[in-house]
Amino acid sequence: MCGIIGYVGHRPLEDCERLLVAGLEKLEYRGYDSAGLAFISGASVEKVRAIGNLEQLKEALHAAGLDHPVGEEGSASTGIAHTRWATHGRVTEENAHPHSDASGEVEIVMNGIIENHTELRRSLEADGVAFSSETDAEVISHLIAAEFDGDLTAAVRAANTRLRGHYSFVAMHVSLPGTLVATRCETPLVVGVGDGENFIGSAIPAFMAETRNVLEIENGEIVTVGADTIEIEASDGSPVQREPELVTWDEEAAEKAGYETFMMKEIHEQPEAIAETILDRLSGDASIDLSDVGLDDDYLTNLRRIVVVACGTSYHAGLVGRYAIERWARIPVEVDIASEYRYRDPVVGPGDLVVGITQSGETADTLAAMRLAREAGATVLAVTNIMGSQATRDSDAVLYTRAGLEIGVAATKTFVAQVAAMYLLALRLAELRGTLDPGELAALVADLRSIPDKMDRTIDSVSEMVVEIARRHADQKFFLYLGRHIGLPVCLEGALKLKEVSYIPTDAYAAGEMKHGPIALLDESTPVVCVATDSPILDKVLSNIEEVKARGADTIAVATEGSDRVAEVVEETIFVPETDWVLQPLLAILPLQLLAYHVARINGLNVDQPRNLAKTVTVE
Ligand code: AGP
């Protein structure tokens, strides 16, 4: 996740710069490890980049004598800016955006990932192009430069045909002051329509203080923006006519991109979080590229056992990961609650890979468990969302999730990104150890790639029904969650979400275990939420649902589209799209997050800051 903004207009250059920095301030939630901006000044481009947050960028502008730039009389002010969340390449000034071509005439800022950047870089280098950063984004400026013959839109169009990935970028060329050209493929891009000036950004808040007239740019479209003109073309090159829409959010809503809470915004950001985490690590064929992690192939091929340590939601991600690793890579996996593991005098040592999952990278118990394992000789891998967090320092290798900053205390998008990261690890292990045949591996990779799109559809398709269910059950005193197999960690996570944000007691149980005790809790008023998505033991789950129904409980199921058997048994069925059953948790959790959310909101609760909880738990 990164934030991009561009400005073109008749205001003085000094104002242009101020507006770009103000825009970045509103986008900083998308990334904040480095930032930069560039603007056209006469016949050249001025560019300043800095490691750290925007204060550092402002200091760098001041140091460069560019904090009050003076433009050319009568010429439009044109600039682009970026706040970075590093994915490709370390946090360095060279890797910060904007990125230029070798001549410094083209400048671009990008959000997202170019999946085929390695092959593009190789082919550009073979043509004699010298790169100045480690980023995937830099290929864009070189491709545009290679195609440019005076028409920036045509050059962007041509460059775009060679890019694969999910990205949006804005480009400018020094010979064309007064023009910005941008495009998007999956990641967001909006145009702010002003009077004698226009903006392009990753999100509306970036320019909302200046204009509330907004044009949404669709996938594959290219938009060419001048101070007084906006031209959009579709992916087939045909012109697109679209009227701006008026945004009526207040300032607080703007921070949340129009959603009423951060939690709801983050629920909707989940497809993007998954796309960012997986897509460039799944190369075109069936191969999984985890070279950024820092574990060598020999080690991964020969390791003996995996132990996952984590807390709360991250522990649930570990439980899902266990199914994937054991099934696909046939390596034994233990999953432990970090606060228990560290005091158990565990048997661990060389040959074990200990995976500490922690979105914050600062959870005291998880860090302690990771340190203990490392001291005992195990190799420790951190799965975390936060660059430079303590977990990255207490480990031998790091697998980053790329969910972007999560503000809501209840984890949503970081959970799905953790699950996706565990799938990547499982698939890479299977690939190296040859435990899946190539056809199976390719099918799983294809299924995983399609998940962001299916998540988008699921959030849209289930929302209305979940609100209805939440209305009917918002005053319940207790919810039971039942699932088996890979559905069990989904239940555990769904139940944790409900209790965290609504304060309603919940229990999540392995459905086969229910008759050994929890069934005594049931009466006719108890809502029982069942995860009954397709799995090798769906029949058994259905039998367990019959058992609770026989006690009069009110059953709600999450099931796979087309699974009429489930709908015949339960009172209410929420369908999610079909996918390989190991991947189902990424879809099945969505209605459960939404259910928790709506129950809490109907009860008037603050879902972003539930009582007694903290986002980062640095005490044991
Ligand atoms: C999840 O909604 C909770 N906020 C909590 O369980 C959280 O997952 C747990 O504290 C672990 O945090 P971490 O991932 O930052 O280590």
Side-chain angles (χ1 to χ4, degrees):
M1 292 257 290
C2 298
I4 58 179
I5 176 155
Y7 171 85
V8 54
H10 295 303
R11 292 203 224 188
L13 203 46
E14 187 181 8
D15 280 5
C16 161
E17 185 182 285
R18 181 181 54 76
L19 293 170
L20 291 176
V21 173
L24 290 185
E25 271 162 6
K26 297 292 180 194
L27 294 173
E28 224 179 350
Y29 71 91
R30 300 179 66 86
Y32 44 79
D33 59 48
S34 50
L37 65 77
F39 52 82
I40 298 176
S41 176
S44 59
V45 170
E46 296 287 358
K47 176 158 78 174
V48 174
R49 300 178 291 182
I51 295 176
N53 61 21
L54 292 178
E55 284 314 308
Q56 265 84 45
L57 179 65
K58 287 180 199 165
E59 279 168 27
L61 283 165
H62 182 66
L66 287 173
D67 39 357
H68 298 290
V70 182
E72 295 227 317
E73 191 72 20
S75 136
S77 295
T78 313
I80 55 178
H82 185 271
T83 178
R84 181 168 188 240
W85 176 275
T87 56
H88 291 73
R90 291 156 303 144
V91 179
T92 62
E93 200 178 309
E94 292 71 35
N95 289 337
H97 298 218
H99 288 292
S100 56
D101 68 315
S103 67
E105 293 181 331
V106 176
E107 293 285 349
I108 67 102
V109 285
M110 183 197 86
N111 167 38
I113 284 168
I114 305 299
E115 286 171 38
N116 58 338
H117 68 100
T118 310
E119 65 195 67
L120 290 172
R121 179 183 278 250
R122 277 198 205 113
S123 113
L124 286 159
E125 282 173 339
D127 293 342
V129 172
F131 278 73
S132 59
S133 79
E134 304 158 328
T135 65
D136 54 340
E138 194 185 334
V139 297
I140 301 174
S141 44
H142 295 296
L143 288 174
I144 293 174
E147 301 287 350
F148 185 76
D149 64 358
D151 182 343
L152 187 57
T153 309
V156 166
R157 192 186 305 128
N160 212 18
T161 59
R162 297 188 59 189
L163 299 173
R164 214 179 52 230
H166 66 293
Y167 57 83
S168 42
F169 67 82
V170 188
M172 64 183 192
H173 194 283
V174 68
S175 68
L176 295 172
T179 303
L180 293 176
V181 181
T183 187
R184 68 166 283 226
C185 174
E186 304 299 341
T187 63
L189 190 73
V190 281
V191 172
V193 184
D195 186 7
E197 61 186 5
N198 292 305
F199 300 78
I200 308 178
S202 303
I204 297 167
F207 48 70
M208 213 186 79
E210 305 301 323
T211 178
R212 287 170 170 267
N213 291 316
V214 175
L215 272 171
E216 298 270 353
I217 304 303
E218 301 292 340
N219 264 339
E221 290 178 348
I222 294 175
V223 59
T224 304
V225 176
D228 305 294
T229 55
I230 297 169
E231 285 166 20
I232 305 175
E233 63 177 52
S235 50
D236 63 3
S238 58
V240 174
Q241 299 302 330
R242 188 173 299 138
E243 287 305 309
E245 284 177 32
L246 183 69
V247 171
T248 54
W249 309 336
D250 60 23
E251 220 168 280
E252 205 200 327
E255 259 207 296
K256 297 167 190 149
Y259 293 102
E260 54 182 7
T261 61
F262 283 110
M263 184 176 171
M264 190 48 113
K265 171 172 169 279
E266 286 155 7
I267 286 174
H268 281 82
E269 284 171 348
Q270 292 184 104
E272 195 184 347
I274 297 291
E276 294 265 352
T277 301
I278 62 168
L279 287 186
D280 75 312
R281 288 161 167 159
L282 300 175
S283 42
D285 47 27
S287 167
I288 296 93
D289 178 2
L290 289 187
S291 51
D292 62 315
V293 170
L295 286 174
D296 70 54
D297 290 351
D298 270 358
Y299 173 76
L300 290 172
T301 309
N302 296 312
L303 66 89
R304 204 183 55 200
R305 180 177 74 135
I306 293 178
V307 178
V308 178
V309 289
C311 300
T313 288
S314 300
Y315 167 73
H316 300 153
L319 292 175
V320 178
R322 174 167 68 188
Y323 278 88
I325 296 171
E326 291 194 337
R327 179 167 173 86
W328 297 337
R330 307 305 296 155
I331 301 171
V333 181
E334 288 170 25
V335 189
D336 243 299
I337 294 168
S339 55
E340 291 297 317
Y341 181 81
R342 59 182 292 198
Y343 293 114
R344 218 182 59 208
D345 194 9
V347 181
V348 64
D352 289 330
L353 174 65
V354 173
V355 183
I357 307 181
T358 164
Q359 71 80 23
S360 63
E362 305 289 346
T363 297
D365 285 315
T366 307
L367 293 177
M370 289 163 67
R371 279 184 211 127
L372 178 154
R374 209 166 177 212
E375 279 158 20
T379 300
V380 173
L381 168 68
V383 175
T384 185
N385 200 42
I386 305 292
M387 281 222 162
S389 58
Q390 190 58 40
T392 66
R393 294 191 283 272
D394 286 346
S395 53
D396 301 289
V398 184
L399 172 49
Y400 282 105
T401 53
R402 299 166 181 158
L405 191 63
E406 187 174 69
I407 292 172
V409 167
T412 52
K413 63 176 178 170
T414 53
F415 169 69
V416 292
Q418 289 167 341
V419 170
M422 294 305 283
Y423 288 150
L424 290 174
L425 179 63
L427 288 171
R428 180 66 185 145
L429 289 165
E431 186 181 24
L432 287 168
R433 298 160 85 102
T435 44
L436 283 174
D437 75 47
E440 272 178 298
L441 187 66
L444 286 165
V445 166
D447 269 355
L448 189 52
R449 278 175 169 279
S450 69
I451 288 285
D453 189 45
K454 287 180 178 168
M455 288 178 111
D456 249 332
R457 275 202 285 131
T458 307
I459 294 169
D460 279 353
S461 65
V462 305
S463 287
E464 212 172 297
M465 181 175 194
V466 173
V467 172
E468 275 310 305
I469 294 173
R471 275 202 195 109
R472 273 200 293 283
H473 297 288
D475 57 356
Q476 292 288 350
K477 299 283 169 276
F478 170 69
F479 278 69
L480 181 63
Y481 285 68
L482 291 181
R484 296 181 77 139
H485 204 251
I486 202 140
L488 179 57
V490 179
C491 286
L492 291 165
E493 177 56 12
L496 176 66
K497 280 301 81 101
L498 186 69
K499 74 176 71 135
E500 265 185 304
V501 297
S502 77
Y503 317 144
I504 296 175
T506 64
D507 204 351
Y509 234 78
E513 191 60 13
M514 180 196 49
K515 50 189 158 301
H516 302 287
I519 203 162
L521 292 168
L522 297 181
D523 64 27
E524 276 165 22
S525 70
T526 314
V528 180
V529 181
C530 313
V531 173
T533 47
D534 284 354
S535 85
I537 61 160
L538 178 59
D539 286 336
K540 310 237 175 263
V541 177
L542 288 173
S543 306
N544 297 136
I545 296 176
E546 294 283 9
E547 289 161 9
V548 297
K549 274 194 67 180
R551 273 79 194 171
D554 201 349
T555 46
I556 302 155
V558 178
T560 307
E561 267 166 15
S563 184
D564 296 337
R565 291 191 300 155
V566 180
E568 279 160 20
V569 176
V570 299
E571 267 84 26
E572 289 158 305
T573 313
I574 308 167
F575 287 109
V576 295
E578 208 179 342
T579 188
D580 185 274
W581 64 261
V582 182
L583 305 179
Q584 268 295 353
L586 290 176
L587 303 175
I589 193 59
L590 301 173
L592 302 191
Q593 293 169 338
L594 288 164
L595 179 65
Y597 179 87
H598 289 296
V599 168
R601 294 293 289 167
I602 289 164
N603 288 319
L605 297 168
N606 178 350
V607 293
D608 288 336
Q609 291 171 318
R611 72 183 179 205
N612 305 336
L613 295 177
K615 187 71 190 161
T616 305
V617 185
T618 52
V619 291
E620 69 162 292

